[in-house]
Amino acid sequence: MRLQGRVAMVTGAAMGMGQAFAQRLAREGAAVVLTDVDEANGEAAAREIRERGGIAAFRALDVRSPTAWDEAIHFVRADFKKLDVLVNNAGVGIVGSIVDCSLEDWNRSIGVNLTGVFLGCKSAIPLMASGGGGSIINIASIWAMAADQLAAGYCASKGGVRSLTKSAALYCAAQGNGVRVNSVHPGFVQTPMVDNAGASMPEAEAQAYAARTVGRVPLGRIGTPQDIEGVVAFLASDDSLFMAGSELVVDGGQLCH
């Protein structure tokens, strides 16, 4: 119960890693605001936490919209009075090389994966600072440090998250506002996003992609959301008080190659 009495917000929390993060933070004692564009699954995820004895609410949020962020932060302030933890998790994984990626897909990747994180940090920092500080956890990817030929927009967006995290961390440190900003870099994790990306490729292409990515994980398996949630809980807690601008890789050893 490291997070007893704290308020956390998780974007992209209707399923996959975001749902796992919200459940873990609730088990650690936090009141959790789950957000997503998927209202039906988001409401169900929040209800499941409440049925298990946790405190949870759902709020619809398109992370690309400044207005939606203003409304979400207003909701947190009005209902919970403060914000201690923000997990910027919402993301999309769109397949496409530098030649094949359409401008529409590029803009969607940048909009959700990078602009959404920018707006989340920008919106949350003042509320966190007014309460004495907090922890922002930006979910990036190992493709922020390495890359694959079929993920041009995704790689660019996650690389941006990595660098933006450090800029935000330096700003908060210079302001002395008590807000810590760090990033988590998962490898391949079994989520609907990963499944959908694989399903969008021709079979031969998908097999080749899996061979050069998941097939090279030293620990010999794809990750699960539960493999990542403990790292998020750690960064949300006081156990990480001296961490700012850090990047935690959770990839089964893949970047060792």
Side-chain angles (χ1 to χ4, degrees):
M1 302 296 283
R2 290 178 293 182
L3 305 179
Q4 187 72 45
R6 301 189 189 185
V7 177
M9 182 177 182
V10 182
T11 70
M15 60 182 66
M17 288 198 299
Q19 183 179 6
F21 299 159
Q23 291 172 340
R24 178 60 179 265
L25 296 178
R27 291 199 305 272
E28 295 267 5
V32 185
V33 178
L34 295 80
T35 72
D36 207 295
V37 293
D38 183 347
E39 296 186 35
N41 284 319
E43 290 280 11
R47 184 168 57 251
E48 182 179 346
I49 290 173
R50 293 194 298 270
E51 289 172 350
R52 294 180 178 181
I55 301 172
F58 174 76
R59 183 78 185 183
L61 172 64
D62 182 342
V63 296
R64 299 170 293 182
S65 167
T67 301
W69 269 109
D70 289 344
E71 292 172 352
I73 292 297
H74 177 77
F75 170 79
V76 172
R77 182 185 289 111
D79 281 39
F80 295 94
K81 312 304 179 188
K82 63 173 184 171
L83 181 62
D84 302 294
V85 179
L86 170 64
V87 185
N88 279 313
N89 166 77
V92 293
I94 302 174
V95 175
S97 70
I98 189 65
V99 171
D100 298 326
C101 181
S102 68
L103 181 58
E104 180 182 6
D105 285 346
W106 171 270
N107 286 338
R108 186 167 179 235
S109 294
I110 298 298
V112 176
N113 297 351
L114 181 54
T115 303
V117 172
F118 160 72
L119 291 173
C121 293
K122 181 180 177 67
S123 302
I125 286 171
L127 179 55
M128 285 185 168
S130 70
S135 175
I136 295 177
I137 305 157
N138 295 330
I139 307 303
S141 167
I142 57 169
W143 283 169
M145 301 149 173
D148 186 83
Q149 65 202 44
L150 295 182
Y154 186 81
C155 293
S157 65
K158 294 301 187 177
V161 170
R162 180 190 188 195
S163 188
L164 176 64
T165 296
K166 297 181 186 302
S167 178
L170 288 171
Y171 169 81
C172 290
Q175 295 294 308
N177 60 20
V179 179
R180 312 186 314 280
V181 190
N182 296 284
S183 58
V184 177
H185 298 255
F188 283 83
V189 177
Q190 194 76 56
T191 64
M193 185 182 78
V194 170
D195 292 342
N196 291 337
S200 70
M201 300 180 194
E203 184 176 353
E205 194 172 85
Q207 290 176 351
Y209 184 82
R212 67 174 179 266
T213 55
V214 179
R216 300 189 70 215
V217 177
L219 291 187
R221 65 174 177 86
I222 193 169
T224 68
Q226 289 68 41
D227 290 322
I228 317 298
E229 66 180 40
V231 176
V232 170
F234 163 71
L235 288 175
S237 76
D238 288 349
D239 291 335
S240 59
L241 280 178
F242 199 53
M243 296 179 68
S246 297
E247 46 197 46
L248 275 67
V249 176
V250 193
D251 69 344
Q254 191 165 2
L255 286 186
C256 292
H257 289 295

